[in-house]
Amino acid sequence: DADVTQTPRNRITKTGKRIMLECSQTKGHDRMYWYRQDPGLGLRLIYYSFDVKDINKGEISDGYSVSRQAQAKFSLSLESAIPNQTALYFCATSDSADLANSYEQYFGPGTRLTVT
Amino acid sequence: QKEVEQNSGPLSVPEGAIASLNCTYSDRGSQSFFWYRQYSGKSPELIMFIYSNGDKEDGRFTAQLNKASQYVSLLIRDSQPSDSATYLCAVTAYSSASKIIFGSGTRLSIRP
């Protein structure tokens, strides 16, 4: 089984709808991240969480919110989806104790979201 | 100016040759530097990281770091068609070692 899972893998929704993307991990890592990827723009950080009570905005948090329900679960919500939120979304995890590997990030398989 | 800059490519290299990928970054306080490989439609996977000036070798891959010039590169020796992918350069933010800033990636194509 995959260490980092994302649901759904693909989603098409309409403008104005609320949508939640979910991420779960079995790696036991304390740190979790949400990124979006657009062609030519690489990965951009939306939100990150260092533990259940510590949530931080990334570079493009407007229009998004997150919830860290447990150490293993980190959800991303779009309260009112708009077409320019169409992108590939990745969840990632890292281990704060992983000094030897400089906090390597492990990515989920991604969620392809289309907002029409 | 982008925090992490890469040439988008595509970079076309013949099979068996050396592929050279380059990256510059703007945050002088960055401590760790990563190269991720991403196949089309897949998630990124870490192939190299480096945090000291100089070279770090792992199999066919060599990462090179020059902090004075704020430059990091990845060399792939004996390039194989399976190396065809997008390579993402990433650096840690000075403000938080666990916050990583990604470049937009270089698309590498290995021609048989």
Side-chain angles (χ1 to χ4, degrees):
Chain A
D1 287 342
D3 295 320
V4 184
T5 57
Q6 293 183 233
T7 56
R9 294 293 310 281
N10 289 281
R11 180 72 182 267
I12 300 173
T13 191
K14 294 185 182 297
T15 297
K17 294 291 187 182
R18 183 180 188 276
I19 184 168
M20 178 182 288
L21 309 182
E22 299 188 348
C23 176
S24 294
Q25 53 117 346
T26 58
K27 299 186 76 66
H29 290 173
D30 51 344
R31 300 179 173 185
M32 299 186 73
Y33 310 79
W34 275 106
Y35 294 90
R36 67 176 278 177
Q37 187 172 39
D38 300 275
L41 293 178
L43 288 161
R44 291 184 292 167
L45 184 62
I46 306 172
Y47 271 95
Y48 58 106
S49 170
F50 286 172
D51 66 37
V52 174
K53 295 182 180 179
D54 180 17
I55 292 178
N56 306 278
K57 292 182 177 180
E59 59 183 306
I60 55 162
S61 58
D62 287 350
Y64 301 95
S65 62
V66 291
S67 173
R68 185 83 183 263
Q69 301 96 321
Q71 187 187 39
K73 295 183 182 297
F74 193 35
S75 300
L76 176 71
S77 294
L78 287 68
E79 296 300 326
S80 180
I82 55 177
N84 77 0
Q85 291 177 312
T86 293
L88 184 56
Y89 290 83
F90 286 105
C91 173
T93 72
S94 69
D95 183 358
S96 63
D98 188 19
L99 299 176
N101 291 317
S102 291
Y103 313 109
E104 175 182 353
Q105 294 197 358
Y106 296 82
F107 286 82
T111 294
R112 188 166 296 281
L113 175 67
T114 303
V115 183
T116 61
Chain B
Q1 180 190 5
K2 290 184 181 178
E3 294 184 74
V4 180
E5 298 216 39
Q6 298 180 254
N7 188 317
S8 62
L11 174 65
S12 182
V13 174
E15 186 176 355
I18 295 175
S20 177
L21 303 162
N22 303 314
C23 171
T24 57
Y25 60 95
S26 60
D27 185 349
R28 284 195 170 275
S30 295
Q31 298 293 317
S32 297
F33 307 85
F34 307 83
W35 284 100
Y36 283 81
R37 178 176 62 200
Q38 185 177 24
Y39 292 114
S40 180
K42 302 296 185 182
S43 55
E45 57 177 331
L46 183 70
I47 54 172
M48 290 286 286
F49 74 90
I50 186 169
Y51 49 82
S52 299
N53 274 327
D55 294 359
K56 179 181 179 182
E57 186 175 321
D58 184 1
R60 295 187 297 112
F61 299 99
T62 299
Q64 299 175 317
L65 175 62
N66 184 326
K67 289 187 177 181
S69 299
Q70 294 176 247
Y71 176 93
V72 58
S73 64
L74 178 70
L75 301 177
I76 306 175
R77 289 182 299 281
D78 188 23
S79 296
Q80 303 296 309
S82 59
D83 295 327
S84 297
T86 296
Y87 289 80
L88 302 170
C89 174
V91 307
T92 51
Y94 176 70
S95 58
S96 170
S98 283
K99 183 178 172 183
I100 296 179
I101 309 299
F102 284 84
S104 57
T106 297
R107 190 155 54 94
L108 175 66
S109 176
I110 307 300
R111 57 182 190 271

